Amino acid sequence: MQRRELLGTLAGLTAAGLAGTAWAQGDATRIVVGFAPGGGADNTARLYANKATNTVVENRPGAGGRLAAEVVRAAPADGRTLLVTPDPVITLYPHVFRKLAYDPMQDFRAVSQMVTSAMALAVGPMVPASVRNLNDFAAWCKANPDKASYGTAGTGSPLHFLGALIGRTNGFAFTHVPFKGGILASQDVAAGQIASSVNVLGELAALVPSGKVRLLGVTGSSRSRFLPDVPTFLEQGMKDTDFGAWFGMFAPARTPDRVVQALQAAVKQAYSAPEVRETLNKLFMEGPASTPEELTAIVKADSARWGPVVAASGYTPES
């Protein structure tokens, strides 16, 4: 997601008045983020920390978010050190990396999802206008193998593996082109420099209404309410695509139930503000403020889904 748009979301939450949603008293509460300032995880964390009493965001970039997870894993289970992270750190990395210094299911307690977004296959002017769905695109890729490529925000990500799944399921070689950001990949699609991109809807929000890119399919069990004319991958014959991208909040294992519930209540209160939902909607994003139990179930389902996909791709971190 673009920094400007995320800062807009931050402004919406600030306006909602989070001063009354502090979840710890006394020593400052740390929200640890495994990425540099200005990125999606950092700005999502600051949605909550900016006006919450005595709460700070600590950036611990490195190893694709794994270092931050290690910090929170080792922290006292008192609710004063929290992890805000994109889903791959919890659900995908156990299948990508041979060794992790943390166990996602044993070392953390789920608090709440904070932001969710569908993923989509977007094409641009390199692909003929007659290509309107996934079957059309597969046929075009088979006829134009030198152009059959897709851009994402980087290797080893859910977007990377979703693209691999699209190619394998539909019987064509789909070449992955990693970029330094999802918006950069989408911009190159819109400019006709690359055929397609697999991206989250938030990073396509500015391009879809303008007609610069066309969406051929989205993840999820049902069509996006923001784009009801775009069919899901499920509708087009791709199984196991009823998922999306998300950021979530986690606490160390053994954090007391009452603390976890207070944290979840703070997330829920933030999302109760109409201006917050309006800001997210402009980015084709949702903020469900799920319960800890719901997020735990999502983590288990997503992890089970990614295992076979990563194995079938043959990818290793050294690839």
Side-chain angles (χ1 to χ4, degrees), residues 71 79 84 111 153 210 220:
V71 169
V84 169
V111 175
S210 69

Side-chain angles (χ1 to χ4, degrees), residues 187-229:
Q187 288 172 344
D188 269 16
V189 171
Q193 300 299 312
I194 189 173
S196 67
S197 173
V198 178
N199 214 331
V200 293
L201 290 185
E203 293 193 343
L204 294 164
L207 298 173
V208 173
S210 69
K212 292 181 179 179
V213 301
R214 312 190 308 276
L215 300 189
L216 304 185
V218 296
T219 60
S221 57
S222 59
R223 297 189 180 195
S224 168
R225 66 184 180 89
F226 306 114
L227 301 164
D229 294 333

Side-chain angles (χ1 to χ4, degrees), residues 133-150:
N133 55 47
L134 196 53
N135 286 338
D136 292 344
F137 184 66
W140 181 83
C141 287
K142 292 174 185 177
N144 299 272
D146 58 324
K147 298 179 180 179
S149 61
Y150 68 102

Side-chain angles (χ1 to χ4, degrees), residues 8-262:
T9 306
L10 171 59
L13 276 170
T14 299
L18 289 179
T21 67
W23 40 68
Q25 298 178 2
D27 294 339
T29 297
R30 294 188 300 162
I31 298 180
V32 184
V33 175
F35 301 88
D42 176 72
N43 282 303
T44 298
R46 292 180 193 278
L47 302 182
Y48 300 89
N50 193 53
K51 286 294 183 178
T53 302
N54 208 20
T55 301
V56 298
V57 173
E58 179 180 317
N59 297 94
R60 296 292 292 268
R66 302 194 300 280
L67 292 182
E70 294 172 24
V71 169
V72 176
R73 172 191 177 277
D78 57 7
R80 300 184 193 277
T81 303
L82 307 170
L83 176 69
V84 169
T85 183
D87 55 290
V89 174
I90 301 296
T91 64
L92 179 62
Y93 286 0
H95 306 292
V96 172
F97 297 99
R98 293 186 180 92
K99 293 183 179 181
L100 284 178
Y102 60 90
D103 183 323
M105 298 306 302
Q106 299 297 322
D107 293 336
F108 303 103
R109 290 203 63 179
V111 175
S112 180
Q113 279 185 319
M114 301 170 75
V115 175
T116 66
S117 175
M119 306 179 198
L121 172 64
V123 299
M126 182 181 290
V127 180
S130 59
V131 173
R132 306 302 301 177
N133 55 47
L134 196 53
N135 286 338
D136 292 344
F137 184 66
W140 181 83
C141 287
K142 292 174 185 177
N144 299 272
D146 58 324
K147 298 179 180 179
S149 61
Y150 68 102
T152 75
T155 57
S157 69
L159 300 167
H160 171 195
F161 292 116
L162 176 58
L165 182 63
I166 290 171
R168 187 170 66 255
T169 302
N170 293 278
F172 64 91
F174 208 13
T175 301
H176 179 229
V177 181
F179 285 74
K180 292 185 177 180
I183 190 63
L184 299 177
S186 296
Q187 288 172 344
D188 269 16
V189 171
Q193 300 299 312
I194 189 173
S196 67
S197 173
V198 178
N199 214 331
V200 293
L201 290 185
E203 293 193 343
L204 294 164
L207 298 173
V208 173
S210 69
K212 292 181 179 179
V213 301
R214 312 190 308 276
L215 300 189
L216 304 185
V218 296
T219 60
S221 57
S222 59
R223 297 189 180 195
S224 168
R225 66 184 180 89
F226 306 114
L227 301 164
D229 294 333
V230 180
T232 65
F233 292 123
L234 283 174
E235 290 178 72
Q236 301 181 77
M238 284 189 61
K239 298 179 180 179
D240 300 322
T241 53
D242 54 336
F243 59 88
W246 49 267
F247 290 105
M249 179 182 288
F250 295 83
R254 298 180 300 281
T255 300
D257 288 345
R258 60 178 178 79
V259 175
V260 172
Q261 294 299 327

